[in-house]
Amino acid sequence: MKSVVVFGSTGRTGMALCKQITKKGYDLYAMTRSNKNSLELESMKANIMHADALARDQVASVLAKIDNQSTVVSLVGGQSAELAVRSDFPANKNIIEVSEELGFSRFIFVTAIGAGESKPQLPDMLKPFLGAVTEEKTKAENVLRSSNLKYTIIRPGQLTNESATGTGILTEECVLGNMAREDLASMILKAIDDDSTIGRIYSTLDENKDLDFSWMQNR
């Protein structure tokens, strides 16, 4: 049976992905720093494992308990309120390097449009808010790209909490788009199941959804 390790499992995208993984009957190892959404994860019969990805020793401890034939997925990003540091680069560096050291091979990394060669796709109006974030994600992508892991990188653009439409796509074209988190989860699962995505970097979007920057009016 296929097994999947999800770092960042308790976020909105992470929970959507966890639901889809267990629905397929795969073993799920849900990595979390806290007890957030623990009851829902337990109802999915997930294997809940606690680790702060900013602490390399904790990452090593939990991954050492898991079959290294499992697929590792990282959705980790954002600000650590306790440490006042973004996790996008240091936490993912830990996850990537420990995965490689322990003999895992398949790794799926979800970053964002604006990282790597997609930098020109980040609109000027968003650079004050997201420019530094995408630079951190680029650094983490570079660690993965220089590793021996069989990686897939997925760069979503604007994400919503709306219901899935089922019309999300993966494309190797660098493009900023909009999609529901549930559809992003489906794209991640597609990569888990499709070895032809190994070594590739994708944008993901819903061609039927328009970008919405109305939230900028409140900044």
Side-chain angles (χ1 to χ4, degrees):
M1 180 186 296
K2 188 185 289 286
S3 62
V4 184
V5 182
V6 179
F7 284 88
S9 60
T10 58
R12 289 191 177 98
T13 303
M15 291 299 291
L17 177 60
C18 287
K19 290 175 185 176
Q20 294 188 28
I21 288 169
T22 54
K23 187 174 181 180
K24 289 206 72 169
Y26 297 161
D27 282 336
L28 168 64
Y29 294 87
M31 300 295 176
T32 176
R33 288 190 301 119
S34 67
N35 291 318
K36 179 182 177 183
N37 292 327
S38 59
L39 292 177
E40 190 170 358
L41 287 168
E42 287 172 1
S43 73
M44 300 179 202
K45 301 191 184 315
N47 302 288
I48 302 173
M49 306 186 79
H50 294 281
D52 183 345
L54 286 167
R56 186 187 179 98
D57 59 336
Q58 293 184 32
V59 175
S61 177
V62 293
L63 283 182
K65 299 172 183 176
I66 300 171
D67 184 349
N68 64 9
Q69 298 305 301
S70 303
T71 298
V72 179
V73 179
S74 180
L75 295 153
V76 171
Q79 182 86 19
S80 170
E82 297 90 343
L83 300 178
V85 63
R86 290 203 65 88
S87 59
D88 303 87
F89 172 61
N92 283 301
K93 182 175 184 288
N94 288 338
I95 298 167
I96 292 163
E97 291 182 345
V98 170
S99 295
E100 185 175 20
E101 289 169 6
L102 292 177
F104 289 83
S105 63
R106 189 73 174 100
F107 197 103
I108 296 171
F109 189 22
V110 181
T111 61
I113 282 292
E117 59 271 40
S118 72
K119 183 176 181 178
Q121 297 303 315
L122 187 67
D124 289 341
M125 70 176 72
L126 297 182
K127 288 178 180 176
F129 311 105
L130 299 179
V133 175
T134 55
E135 289 296 328
E136 291 292 288
K137 291 182 183 296
T138 296
K139 289 161 59 177
E141 283 189 5
N142 289 340
V143 173
L144 180 58
R145 293 168 77 168
S146 64
S147 75
N148 292 319
L149 293 166
K150 296 178 180 177
Y151 68 82
T152 303
I153 294 173
I154 298 175
R155 296 171 177 155
Q158 191 171 41
L159 295 172
T160 73
N161 298 321
E162 298 171 359
S163 298
T165 66
T167 54
I169 63 167
L170 294 173
T171 174
E172 291 185 89
E173 179 184 0
C174 290
V175 57
L176 173 64
N178 187 352
M179 75 186 316
R181 293 178 187 277
E182 289 184 0
D183 285 315
L184 172 57
S186 297
M187 297 298 98
I188 299 167
L189 189 61
K190 179 178 179 180
I192 291 170
D193 288 336
D194 185 357
D195 285 349
S196 72
T197 63
I198 291 173
R200 300 193 180 198
I201 300 174
Y202 296 99
S203 303
T204 189
L205 70 154
D206 187 331
E207 293 183 303
N208 296 322
K209 292 175 70 70
D210 295 325
L211 291 165
D212 178 9
F213 294 123
S214 60
W215 60 273
M216 291 288 294
Q217 298 172 3
N218 300 319
R219 300 294 296 199

